[in-house]
Amino acid sequence: MRSAQWFARDDLAGFLHRSSIAATGINRHTLDGRPVIGICNSWSDLVSCNFHLRGLADAVKRGVAQAGGIAVEFPTMSLGESLMKPTAMLYRNLVAMEVEESIRAYPIDAVVLLGGCDKTVPAQLMGAAGADVPAIALTGGPANPAIFRGRELGVGTDLWGYVNELRAGRMSQSDFDELEAASMPSVGHCPELGTASTMAALTEALGMALPGSATIPATNSRRYAFGEATGERAVALARSGPRPSQILTAAAFDNAITTLMALGGSTNAVVHLLAIARRIGVPLSLDRFDEISARTPLIANLRPSGEELFARLNAVGGIPAVLDRLAPLLDTTALTVTGQPLLAGTRPSPVDDVVLSSLDTPFAPTGGIAVLRGNLAPDGALIKTSAATPALLRHRGPALVFDDHHELSHRIDDPDLDVTPDTVLVLRNAGPIGGPGMPEWGALPLPEKLLRRGVTDMVRISDGRMSGTAFGTVAVHVAPEAAAGGPLSKLRTGDPVVLDVDQRLLAVDVPDDEFHGRTPSTMPDSPSRGYLRLVNDHIMQADQGCDFDFMPADGAAQDLAPRSIPAGWHGGW
Ligand code: FES
């Protein structure tokens, strides 16, 4: 095992390593040949979704000890959607690098990844893929739902609806204050099928988490039982694998994409899966998402595409039940962290067609996300069809272009804004470079004066992302983005814009010569220093997963296990 290269050596380096860890209470006899299991913890006081992960780490430690391993917990930066500005996505790659290097630099034989909020889970999977040391994920679980006027709420989906009610004058400020008081009753991630729930589900579908773990609520004692089981399994992984590169294969990504489309999950999962695949060296493109979406029925009734909350899946068997129903569309030979194929040991789920249908009687005949192309998005864009207004999926209307988020906030509620329900609202400079970090600004707010007239949806287009909890006819992830010179930079207010989801088309109806001859809009200033400079210079576009261009898998993971240290040399401490 890797840890033996640190601890089982008869030289000065071995002396230094053993004495260093002995200071934490782990003596030489305890170390003797046992696997060292890292617990990569994204716990933080600043992230309510991950606030309980310290307690969960204790459960993992019990499991590791029961199986004969040594557990060592280490922190990483925690990415919280609500408090980090401009967006937690700006830091996903930073954490992915931190996780990869933490695993590689330390004497770790296998690692347990504890994450919950949207970006922590993909960041950890990207890091584990890069390090390729045996790894197993345990997500934090959905929060208990708020109850407001007798209805269980999703944190985002229902909030966006109530915000519209407030802005339209149909909800009072005191009622809105009552909503705020009720809105976050527990730790855990957003309880609807937002990005966090989607990524928890896909982590299981990829084979990187124990079957059944994703849907258990954050406060349910069974999550802690899964913590112990995950710790035990990590010890077995340390002894005999498999490694991430044996699990995260092309078949595993196809299985995850099928699950994404069948659930009606978040568009954000597309950039994350692209990035994870790139880190492990699996070729994956947007076209594969569209192919799989076209052959996959929507079989889940989960908010924001449907009605139910994520934990409702628990009652019907969780993600194993989803995978069981999808079995004809999956590669069930794909290996998982259990050491077994994907559906090994899965039992038939109870019938509950309210939340989960069969393949024969789906909620929609095709999957929840479509990939658009055209002269406005030559490298692709996404639309979450399952959460859109069917009547708007084929639409032509004049563009109303906002140069950035600040202009949008200042103008959208201007009573004199020249806008009708047919207008296509466009936000540019919200992409990976322009945001920076591709914030979730893509579901542009509807103009207040239209909300007051009862308008509930409009076509919106952006090079940013949208929250997995959001809904509406929203084309996001337009690539290349405006700040990289993409076509949105040449779009003008009044240009006729065409959205045709059946044709997978997102276009501007302006003659090519005229359109290409236009001067692009003003680009945002480039940052001069620090992490933002790194992002500006090396971030890839949405269709490439927004990873850094210097982090492909073909950089061959370099093992940094220690070499011998000459006696008398102190530089290796
Ligand atoms: Fe953390 Fe939604 S804010 S999961």
Side-chain angles (χ1 to χ4, degrees):
M1 284 183 286
R2 291 180 81 239
S3 60
Q5 298 172 65
W6 276 259
F7 299 124
R9 51 193 303 154
D10 193 18
D11 62 3
L12 178 60
F15 171 96
L16 296 175
H17 302 148
R18 288 188 297 273
S19 59
S20 174
I21 205 157
T24 71
I26 301 172
N27 67 41
R28 186 170 189 163
H29 301 297
T30 306
L31 274 175
D32 199 17
R34 295 171 192 252
V36 176
I37 308 301
I39 302 175
C40 175
N41 201 342
S42 58
W43 164 84
S44 171
D45 273 345
L46 289 162
V47 184
S48 62
C49 318
N50 294 8
F51 184 77
H52 58 307
L53 296 185
R54 268 191 156 168
L56 202 53
D58 287 339
V60 174
K61 286 177 184 174
R62 286 195 297 274
V64 170
Q66 283 159 16
I70 297 172
V72 287
E73 184 181 353
F74 61 94
T76 62
M77 185 177 181
S78 195
L79 305 177
E81 285 304 307
S82 301
L83 297 184
M84 288 191 103
K85 304 299 173 195
T87 166
M89 179 66 178
L90 179 60
Y91 305 101
R92 183 202 64 180
N93 298 343
L94 181 65
V95 173
M97 292 174 72
E98 184 191 12
V99 169
E100 177 175 339
E101 300 309 330
S102 295
I103 296 170
R104 186 182 295 137
Y106 280 112
I108 288 170
D109 298 309
V111 64
V112 176
L113 309 166
L114 292 184
C117 199
D118 296 13
K119 308 303 177 296
T120 50
V121 173
Q124 291 178 333
L125 291 174
M126 289 164 69
D132 202 25
V133 167
I136 181 170
L138 178 62
T139 49
N144 296 340
I147 299 189
F148 182 63
R149 295 176 177 172
R151 183 168 184 260
E152 290 188 338
L153 303 187
V155 169
T157 306
D158 296 280
L159 176 62
W160 313 136
Y162 283 119
V163 167
N164 283 346
E165 291 298 291
L166 179 74
R167 294 174 65 233
R170 292 187 289 269
M171 186 177 193
S172 70
Q173 185 60 50
S174 67
D175 285 352
F176 199 68
D177 292 344
E178 190 187 324
L179 170 68
E180 180 184 329
S183 67
M184 298 281 270
S186 88
V187 297
H189 60 70
C190 294
E192 63 270 69
L193 188 67
T195 305
S197 297
T198 302
M199 289 309 301
L202 302 193
T203 302
E204 261 194 67
L206 282 168
M208 289 296 293
L210 289 181
S213 57
T215 51
I216 297 169
T219 56
N220 188 311
S221 59
R222 282 191 61 221
R223 178 152 295 283
Y224 293 81
F226 264 100
E228 290 191 6
T230 299
E232 286 182 28
R233 185 63 207 153
V235 174
L237 286 169
R239 292 194 164 118
S240 54
R243 291 170 174 267
S245 56
Q246 295 168 289
I247 297 172
L248 296 171
T249 59
F253 283 98
D254 278 1
N255 289 342
I257 297 168
T258 303
T259 308
L260 169 66
M261 299 308 173
L263 292 176
S266 168
T267 47
N268 290 322
V270 176
V271 284
H272 299 322
L273 288 175
L274 287 166
I276 299 163
R278 194 166 174 277
R279 292 266 179 133
I280 203 78
V282 170
L284 186 60
S285 73
L286 280 184
D287 293 335
R288 190 65 182 149
F289 287 83
D290 208 45
E291 287 164 19
I292 293 177
S293 185
R295 74 176 194 206
T296 306
L298 180 75
I299 64 166
N301 175 25
L302 295 170
R303 264 180 257 177
S305 299
E307 290 299 319
E308 304 293 334
L309 296 178
F310 187 57
R312 175 73 188 268
L313 279 178
N314 230 4
V316 297
I319 300 306
V322 176
L323 299 176
D324 187 44
R325 296 194 184 194
L326 291 173
L329 302 175
L330 302 175
D331 183 339
T332 54
T333 66
L335 190 62
T336 75
V337 287
T338 65
Q340 301 291 317
L342 188 64
L343 288 175
T346 299
R347 284 170 293 186
S349 59
V351 175
D352 178 352
D353 288 343
V354 172
V355 65
L356 196 60
S357 75
S358 69
L359 282 178
D360 297 333
T361 56
F363 296 105
T366 57
I369 297 172
V371 177
L372 307 169
R373 293 188 192 272
N375 63 3
L376 269 187
D379 293 338
L382 304 178
I383 185 165
K384 189 172 180 176
T385 50
S386 57
T389 302
L392 288 174
L393 294 177
R394 189 160 179 234
H395 181 82
R396 179 187 174 97
L400 173 55
V401 181
F402 299 95
D403 264 334
D404 57 33
H405 187 249
H406 299 293
E407 189 199 352
L408 170 73
S409 338
H410 284 117
R411 290 184 58 210
I412 193 69
D413 288 339
D414 182 343
D416 296 326
L417 192 69
D418 186 9
V419 64
T420 75
D422 285 338
T423 301
V424 175
L425 303 176
V426 179
L427 174 66
R428 63 185 166 209
N429 293 317
I433 298 170
M438 210 179 169
E440 293 179 339
W441 295 335
L444 282 70
L446 303 186
E448 188 178 300
K449 68 180 184 182
L450 295 184
L451 283 171
R452 287 180 182 277
R453 282 172 45 191
V455 173
T456 55
D457 195 8
M458 295 169 69
V459 173
R460 288 160 274 175
I461 298 172
S462 169
D463 48 13
R465 296 175 301 118
M466 73 173 189
S467 166
T469 64
F471 51 86
T473 311
V474 183
V476 284
H477 301 206
V478 169
E481 63 173 304
L488 282 189
S489 68
K490 295 184 176 178
L491 193 67
R492 291 179 183 164
T493 290
D495 284 347
V497 170
V498 179
L499 169 70
D500 189 332
V501 173
D502 280 348
Q503 301 298 318
R504 299 295 194 259
L505 180 67
L506 185 64
V508 55
D509 191 5
V510 171
D512 279 354
D513 288 355
E514 181 196 333
F515 190 72
H516 293 309
R518 291 178 180 176
T519 306
S521 60
T522 310
M523 308 275 182
D525 292 339
S526 296
S528 60
R529 66 175 292 277
Y531 180 67
L532 291 184
R533 173 72 182 268
L534 183 75
V535 171
N536 185 80
D537 292 354
H538 293 285
I539 194 91
M540 300 172 77
Q541 291 294 293
D543 61 303
Q544 304 287 310
C546 300
D547 199 3
F548 291 139
D549 56 12
F550 53 82
M551 293 301 297
D554 55 28
Q558 199 188 351
D559 203 324
L560 300 182
R563 304 205 171 101
S564 64
I565 300 174
W569 187 65
H570 297 276
W573 282 90

